[in-house]
Amino acid sequence: MSPVSMDRNRIVSVVTVDNPPVNALSQAVREGLVTAIEAAEADSESQAIVIICAGRTFIAGADIKEFGKPALEPFLPDVVARIEACEKPVIAAIHGTALGGGFEVALGCHYRIALSSAAIGLPEVNLGLLPGATGTQRLPRLIGAEHALDIMLTGKPVRAGRALEYGALDKVVAGTDLRAAAISFAEDCVAKGPRRIRDMTVPEVDAGLFDTTRKKIAPKTRGLISPEKIIRAVELATKTSFDEGCADERELFLECMASPQSSGLRHAFFAERSVAKVPGLSKDTPQRDVTSVAVIGAGTMGAGIAYNSLASGLQVTLLDINEEGLLRGEKTVRGLYEGGVKRGKVAASDMEAGLARFSTSQNYEDIADVDIVIEAVFESMTIKKEVFAALDKTIKKGAVLATNTSTLSIDDIAASTSRPQDVIGLHFFSPAHIMRLLEIVRGKGTADDVIATSLALAKRLGKIGVVVGNCVGFVGNRMLYSYGRESQLLLLEGAAPEYIDKVLYDWGMAMGPNAVGDLAGLDIGYNGRKERVDLPDDSRFYQVANVLVEMGRLGQKTGKGTFLYEKGSRKPIPDPEVDAIIEAEAERLGVKRREISSAEIIERCIYGLVVEGARILEEGIASRSADIDVVWMNGYGFPRYRGGPMHYADTVGLDKVYATVCEFSERFGPMYWEPPKLLKELAESGKRFSDL
Ligand code: 3H9
């Protein structure tokens, strides 16, 4: 049965698209739309046509699942052109979100009516694309180049009220009966007849608009190709005929579609949605009620988690046995709220309501009734065990007991309680109220409903929860060890810190590894390594960082780490003293220094990640390679347009990655570079991680 149906209400034909969940423009929908428009046009009783959608939203775009496969006719630009060519007025009736190709279909219509709760947008840029069904040519004609550029370059949806002001909509109606409102509006449109955007000219634009826009977006679009193509397409709309502009848009769109960047961003889109479906965890798994949270430990992380929980509507108690620390934590929470209000991000009334749900305590008895505890104390197994033993004695039965440890064993922590089924890892990333990743670490005893509850909590906190298994460092930090290890070895072998950072930054990482170390504090990793008993027998392992910490160079907080920092500045400045320290260490350890190419830096650091990722998959610590990608894109600044380390390896080709890893194993020894069996098998059978 076609997902597009039609009925008639007196003189108005109503075409309904019903393709759950979001009415994406699959081949069947495209074909159905053309058939319906042709039938309505041929119907002598019909004088106007409404296109409306069933379910929760108007068409949310092209069907992204079809991308990367051979395109099937009818093509969307032709569908849009067919709608526009209709002799009878066609009206798009929008509820939910008209996005991408969905909004382009609406632009092919002659008029647009929407519910006040609806939004329109062209989010293709988030998928490494540009609007490819004539949106770049139609929207500037309708609302002017400046607003059109803004909508396409930010990719953000625009609320109906604002879209009406821009002229992107013709009418906005309150209430919920869109069908009735659209039919009545369509009757009014009969006398006006079709109004085609293709016949309009773009309102005059400021001569400097395109160059100013290029400069304005440059810092945010580093490395991306589609934003420039969007600007070029809109510029063409101001200079060429509609048909020429559409032909050029098509070419630019196909270039974007074929790029590895779009493949990476599309992978990111689906990967971030797939993490919520955990293999082996039924989607009907019951959840425990969570309305109150206690956060143990009022440091930066604890205060950030407390603020994040308050902002999500939860009742929060921040507990610390140290009074001074508790006061500081309370001040941090208030400061985060006040900063939000000052920047206009938080309403003053929300701050008031949030702080009214906030309390502090130094006494475990005060939190006995909470639904979930999130421990965020110092990263020491001894201290964590003491805290969990205390929680076990005081907290009500059935509460979730979570630890924010970033490396320690969940099972060992759970063993200090009588209820390992309630214990789980919730690994937040700093700053906790901003970073989107939440690693949800299941211990061997963790109950399914505790995992389901944690996934729901992640969503409530505005985070992407990724369920992983228990091992040292879980997925993210375990892989970070390999990445950091290589960048540290490269320092000894002759690459300067600022050179390594520049190469990886230019490759797309949010920051270079040395700048990240200084930001986080080199002592954090140093103390973490002290807790570990399984470090490799290698005197070079993180040795530069070790020496710097022992000299008191902890990073930004001490004004010097691997780099120097001027007072009040976060800008890393190369320090000749550090170069001398590195050279001396290399000599002491007998490491031969040499010239190192940028390609080697990238391969060693990124394949270091891939090799560890493959081991993590082999051991079942992550169930899918996409889960690893989501962790690295959302917690560690891995460029989204490369789709995460495992997707990146897939795009390079695992045969090539495997060959390089074998070469590194010969050159640098098998201790770090022994190729994982899984990588070998996939490479030899011509498969990818995503085939698993
Ligand atoms: C485009 O249009 C190109 C054109 O210019 C040119 C073409 C020639 N296709 O996000 P949710 C699935 S590019 C296929 O959890 P929400 C999604 O995977 C496109 N599937 O819901 C998920 O599946 P599952 C431009 C799609 O309520 C389910 O729907 N459009 C698509 O939180 C629910 O999704 C966009 O970029 C799709 N287009 O948010 C819009 N969209 O349940 C992309 C969603 O199996 N979509 N799915 O995991 C969104 O932004 C959000 O999904 C939306 C709903 C806001 C619509």
Side-chain angles (χ1 to χ4, degrees):
M1 210 174 78
S2 169
V4 182
S5 61
M6 189 165 63
D7 65 289
R8 187 157 45 70
N9 187 297
R10 295 189 312 258
I11 58 162
V12 178
S13 300
V14 180
V15 175
T16 304
V17 178
D18 187 3
N19 185 29
V22 297
N23 292 313
L25 288 155
S26 62
Q27 191 276 339
V29 171
R30 299 196 299 275
E31 191 173 77
L33 278 172
V34 172
T35 307
I37 291 291
E38 283 173 353
E41 205 170 35
D43 178 355
S44 58
E45 306 279 304
S46 170
Q47 294 182 40
I49 303 160
V50 165
I51 298 179
I52 196 166
C53 290
R56 63 194 209 204
T57 180
F58 191 77
I59 302 165
D63 189 338
I64 309 169
K65 291 194 190 88
E66 285 185 0
F67 290 176
K69 299 180 187 151
L72 299 170
E73 291 193 45
F75 303 135
L76 192 54
D78 301 333
V79 176
V80 174
R82 180 64 191 90
I83 293 170
E84 191 177 54
C86 184
E87 293 300 327
K88 297 171 182 174
V90 186
I91 292 92
I94 300 170
H95 76 294
T97 42
L99 298 178
F103 184 48
E104 290 172 300
V105 165
L107 291 172
C109 296
H110 305 127
Y111 302 95
R112 286 153 291 280
I113 179 171
L115 287 182
S116 53
S117 54
I120 55 105
L122 292 171
E124 285 86 345
V125 71
N126 299 327
L127 299 169
L129 299 170
L130 50 89
T134 62
T136 66
Q137 303 305 299
R138 282 200 163 87
L139 193 57
R141 282 177 163 78
L142 187 64
I143 66 168
E146 193 170 348
H147 287 320
L149 275 176
D150 190 51
I151 290 174
M152 292 179 214
L153 290 169
T154 61
K156 287 192 184 140
V158 179
R159 294 247 144 252
R162 175 67 57 86
L164 181 70
E165 276 169 34
Y166 287 174
L169 298 174
D170 299 291
K171 188 168 179 155
V172 171
V173 288
T176 51
D177 196 351
L178 179 62
R179 182 182 156 101
I183 290 172
S184 149
F185 181 63
E187 286 166 351
D188 297 344
C189 292
V190 172
K192 291 189 269 186
R195 187 194 54 176
R196 300 186 176 94
I197 295 177
R198 63 167 290 135
D199 298 334
M200 300 177 183
T201 43
V202 180
E204 196 154 329
V205 292
D206 186 90
L209 173 69
F210 298 104
D211 283 340
T212 317
T213 305
R214 282 188 177 94
K215 282 196 196 105
K216 195 172 94 188
I217 64 163
K220 282 199 177 155
T221 56
R222 178 170 64 96
L224 290 170
I225 58 169
S226 77
E228 168 54 30
K229 291 188 196 287
I230 288 174
I231 297 175
R232 214 179 320 149
V234 174
E235 201 167 4
L236 283 168
T238 66
K239 290 184 177 152
T240 57
S241 71
F242 179 78
D243 288 331
E244 276 175 277
C246 288
D248 287 335
E249 177 202 84
R250 187 77 190 152
E251 215 166 283
L252 292 168
F253 175 78
L254 292 176
E255 278 169 28
C256 286
M257 178 69 96
S259 70
Q261 288 198 353
S262 177
S263 148
L265 288 163
R266 275 155 23 215
H267 169 74
F269 178 87
F270 286 117
E272 284 173 358
R273 281 156 180 85
S274 72
V275 290
K277 296 164 204 147
V278 180
L281 187 76
S282 156
K283 69 176 186 350
D284 304 321
T285 307
Q287 291 166 23
R288 301 187 187 180
D289 284 339
V290 174
T291 56
S292 56
V293 180
V295 181
I296 317 286
T300 312
M301 184 56 101
I305 298 171
Y307 172 71
N308 189 196
S309 307
L310 286 169
S312 309
L314 294 159
Q315 191 84 32
V316 178
T317 307
L318 184 62
L319 185 146
D320 201 305
I321 45 170
N322 177 306
E323 191 179 356
E324 220 177 283
L326 192 57
L327 286 173
R328 232 186 353 255
E330 187 179 0
K331 211 169 136 204
T332 307
V333 172
R334 284 181 184 279
L336 288 169
Y337 260 125
E338 282 159 7
V341 171
K342 220 167 160 186
R343 290 193 308 280
K345 300 257 180 211
V346 179
S349 55
D350 287 343
M351 172 170 89
E352 231 171 81
L355 290 174
R357 277 183 270 107
F358 182 48
S359 58
T360 57
S361 169
Q362 288 181 266
N363 188 346
Y364 281 93
E365 302 294 338
D366 293 341
I367 59 164
D369 284 329
V370 291
D371 301 318
I372 178 166
V373 178
I374 303 173
E375 163 278 310
V377 302
F378 188 68
E379 190 74 347
S380 142
M381 183 55 91
T382 318
I383 301 178
K384 302 233 184 230
K385 282 190 163 179
E386 278 167 23
V387 170
F388 273 77
L391 293 172
D392 192 31
K393 281 203 199 95
T394 41
I395 307 299
K396 73 174 179 194
K397 289 266 168 310
V400 174
L401 305 183
T403 167
N404 176 51
T405 178
S406 55
T407 47
L408 302 175
S409 166
I410 306 300
D411 293 334
D412 290 356
I413 294 172
S416 58
T417 74
S418 60
R419 35 176 143 166
Q421 73 278 7
D422 298 336
V423 178
I424 194 159
L426 292 182
H427 179 205
F428 288 76
F429 289 71
S430 192
H433 60 292
I434 291 178
M435 296 294 286
R436 286 188 78 204
L437 178 64
L438 185 68
E439 258 186 325
I440 299 174
V441 191
R442 66 199 306 175
K444 62 173 187 271
T446 308
D448 279 0
D449 66 341
V450 170
I451 298 170
T453 305
S454 301
L455 276 164
L457 179 68
K459 199 161 182 193
R460 180 156 187 189
L461 296 177
K463 307 217 175 289
I464 302 182
V466 183
V467 177
V468 301
N470 183 33
C471 65
V472 179
F474 321 125
V475 168
N477 279 346
R478 174 167 161 183
M479 288 169 69
L480 182 64
Y481 254 105
S482 310
Y483 176 77
R485 175 201 75 217
E486 286 308 306
S487 76
Q488 285 272 311
L489 291 174
L490 285 160
L491 290 174
L492 289 173
E493 289 168 37
E498 61 278 14
Y499 174 49
I500 296 176
D501 278 20
K502 181 176 178 339
V503 167
L504 288 162
Y505 176 81
D506 288 349
W507 188 78
M509 298 299 292
M511 285 172 86
N514 294 299
V516 170
D518 280 357
L519 175 68
L522 293 174
D523 53 322
I524 306 281
Y526 181 86
N527 292 329
R529 290 192 291 280
K530 285 242 141 117
E531 286 273 323
R532 287 184 61 168
V533 288
D534 60 338
L535 292 185
D537 181 18
D538 178 2
S539 51
R540 302 165 309 158
F541 188 75
Y542 281 89
Q543 180 56 12
V544 174
N546 290 346
V547 173
L548 294 175
V549 170
E550 282 156 17
M551 292 173 71
R553 300 185 65 124
L554 307 185
Q556 286 189 15
K557 59 188 166 193
T558 53
K560 22 168 130 167
T562 311
F563 298 111
L564 276 179
Y565 298 88
E566 279 168 0
K567 209 168 170 22
S569 162
R570 290 173 175 275
K571 186 169 176 262
I573 302 169
D575 185 354
E577 201 185 307
V578 170
D579 296 338
I581 294 167
I582 296 172
E583 274 173 43
E585 273 310 297
E587 193 175 331
R588 189 179 69 78
L589 296 167
V591 180
K592 197 159 161 269
R593 288 172 66 80
R594 61 191 166 90
E595 194 128 316
I596 294 172
S597 70
S598 54
E600 180 177 339
I601 292 175
I602 293 164
E603 284 183 338
R604 283 184 54 191
C605 292
I606 305 301
Y607 291 176
L609 285 176
V610 174
V611 164
E612 201 58 44
R615 292 195 186 113
I616 280 171
L617 283 172
E618 263 174 13
E619 292 168 28
I621 295 297
S623 10
R624 297 159 295 196
S625 59
D627 293 0
I628 298 178
D629 289 333
V630 173
V631 166
W632 266 79
M633 288 185 288
N634 290 286
Y636 296 86
F638 196 94
R640 220 177 144 71
Y641 63 81
R642 295 196 191 270
M646 310 314 275
H647 176 83
Y648 172 70
D650 278 349
T651 58
V652 170
L654 293 190
D655 52 343
K656 292 198 185 78
V657 175
Y658 175 65
T660 308
V661 170
C662 291
E663 183 203 316
F664 285 171
S665 181
E666 293 235 321
R667 234 172 108 193
F668 306 114
M671 176 157 55
Y672 302 132
W673 290 107
E674 175 80 44
K677 230 169 92 198
L678 179 69
L679 176 62
K680 182 173 190 281
E681 278 167 16
L682 290 174
E684 285 174 354
S685 54
K687 289 196 175 143
R688 300 172 304 175
F689 287 120
S690 62
D691 293 325
L692 288 171

